[in-house]
Amino acid sequence: MINFDQLENNLDELRLKYLTANPYPHLVIDDFCDKEALNRAYDSIPELENKSRDYAFANNKFEKSNYKVLGTELEELYNDLSSERFNKILSYIVNKDIFVDPKNHGGGLHQGKKNSFLDMHLDFNYHPINKNWYRELNLLLYLNKGWKEEYKGHLKLVDLRTEEAEEVAVPFNRLIIQQCGPYTLHGYEMTNFPEGNYRTSIATYAYQIHKNHIEEPRTTDWRPNEDASFLKKQLAKNYNVLVQTKNKLFGSGTAKNQ
């Protein structure tokens, strides 16, 4: 499914683009997958019904963790993304020894329906189950056929250190590799897709094994806009403590949208 030869033939260029990108390391790869195979994969995707666990910080966003059960092509894509061949490519691009989570905890197929949005945030840093896995990368494959600028839903990147920002378009068959760190804010503003069209993507995460924690473990750190309600700001402020308390009592529910 993945165009491996295209990637392997351009590794030095891809590494340079990733490491020198602003506002922080990221990489845009078009024609990431075989077009015909990805079209068949797209055709096998139903309208999703499991609402995301992003609570007040997202609107009309739905997801399915175990998307590989939806069809042969999606299973092939899932396997390619977690393959040793792809891990080697990623490790070269980012110049670190990293690997894709083979169980894709917290990732999966995402659909943003009418007026969807996702507030700016930092992702969780250490894996909820494998406590020494540090999240290095988000891998976001977009499946928006016929996407136009006016549909919105661009991936917005902001560096907390400098407040420098960038917006990246999200057309069909584009992979965005995005660094995860304590300053790598990202999200997307309210969409304007036509009725019956959804902002569709597949999210996968890559990790590095740490012998010692370099940061205090956190859950998602939400940063809503200044014009957000008082209650939303208070929820964002206390979200980490609330989720960690819930996880201790009931376990992580991140991957339950099967």
Side-chain angles (χ1 to χ4, degrees):
M1 172 74 76
I2 293 176
N3 285 324
F4 282 112
D5 290 344
Q6 172 185 294
L7 299 176
E8 290 164 343
N9 290 336
N10 295 281
L11 285 175
D12 289 330
E13 179 184 356
L14 294 173
R15 174 190 272 186
L16 182 62
K17 286 183 177 179
Y18 172 81
L19 294 174
T20 60
N22 291 319
Y24 53 77
H26 68 279
L27 178 64
V28 176
I29 302 176
D30 288 319
D31 301 318
F32 177 67
C33 291
D34 176 82
K35 185 177 180 180
E36 291 185 5
L38 194 62
N39 274 318
R40 291 194 298 271
Y42 177 85
D43 290 340
S44 69
I45 297 173
E47 181 178 356
L48 302 184
E49 298 179 353
N50 291 324
K51 202 157 193 178
S52 99
R53 295 173 178 269
D54 296 323
Y55 305 104
F57 306 107
N59 183 60
N60 225 7
K61 183 171 172 278
F62 296 77
E63 58 191 40
K64 183 175 180 62
S65 175
N66 192 24
Y67 65 86
K68 65 181 179 181
V69 303
L70 294 176
T72 302
E73 285 79 17
L74 285 170
E75 182 178 15
E76 180 183 351
L77 175 60
Y78 185 101
N79 291 335
D80 276 1
L81 286 169
S82 58
S83 67
E84 185 59 30
R85 187 177 184 183
F86 191 53
N87 285 340
K88 288 180 179 179
I89 290 170
L90 289 176
S91 295
Y92 189 89
I93 289 172
V94 306
N95 199 30
K96 294 179 181 180
D97 187 12
I98 62 173
F99 58 94
V100 169
D101 178 2
K103 294 188 177 180
N104 204 25
H105 185 96
L109 177 64
H110 295 165
Q111 276 183 355
K113 299 183 183 179
K114 186 176 178 62
N115 295 332
S116 73
F117 65 79
L118 182 65
D119 280 337
M120 300 299 288
H121 62 282
L122 303 173
D123 290 311
F124 67 80
N125 51 2
Y126 285 99
H127 195 284
I129 298 171
N130 301 288
K131 304 296 186 180
N132 63 333
W133 291 12
Y134 182 79
R135 185 163 164 180
E136 286 282 351
L137 298 176
N138 287 341
L139 310 170
L140 306 170
L141 176 61
Y142 290 96
L143 305 176
N144 300 314
K145 281 193 171 182
W147 182 84
K148 299 177 181 179
E149 290 281 340
E150 57 263 34
Y151 294 171
K152 304 182 181 179
H154 302 69
L155 179 65
K156 187 173 181 179
L157 309 175
V158 176
D159 189 324
L160 267 179
R161 302 166 299 182
T162 63
E163 296 189 356
E164 185 178 359
E166 179 72 26
E167 290 192 356
V168 186
V170 290
F172 188 77
N173 205 4
R174 168 170 285 182
L175 180 77
I176 300 177
I177 300 175
Q178 173 227 314
Q179 182 189 49
C180 290
Y183 50 84
T184 58
L185 279 178
H186 56 283
Y188 67 91
E189 295 180 353
M190 186 175 288
T191 61
N192 187 36
F193 277 67
E195 193 68 38
N197 287 270
Y198 312 126
R199 185 187 188 275
T200 306
S201 62
I202 289 175
T204 303
Y205 311 133
Y207 295 83
Q208 183 182 55
I209 293 177
H210 284 181
K211 291 184 178 179
N212 301 293
H213 284 186
I214 62 170
E215 299 171 13
E216 188 70 23
R218 67 166 183 270
T219 59
T220 307
D221 181 354
W222 295 102
R223 305 294 179 99
N225 293 334
E226 286 298 320
D227 59 357
S229 69
F230 173 79
L231 287 176
K232 189 172 185 178
K233 289 179 180 177
Q234 287 301 110
L235 178 60
K237 184 178 180 180
N238 295 287
Y239 186 83
N240 193 54
V241 172
L242 292 170
V243 171
Q244 287 183 343
T245 301
K246 186 271 296 179
N247 287 348
K248 287 180 181 178
L249 293 173
F250 305 109
S252 173
T254 306
K256 290 182 180 179
N257 281 340
Q258 295 295 313

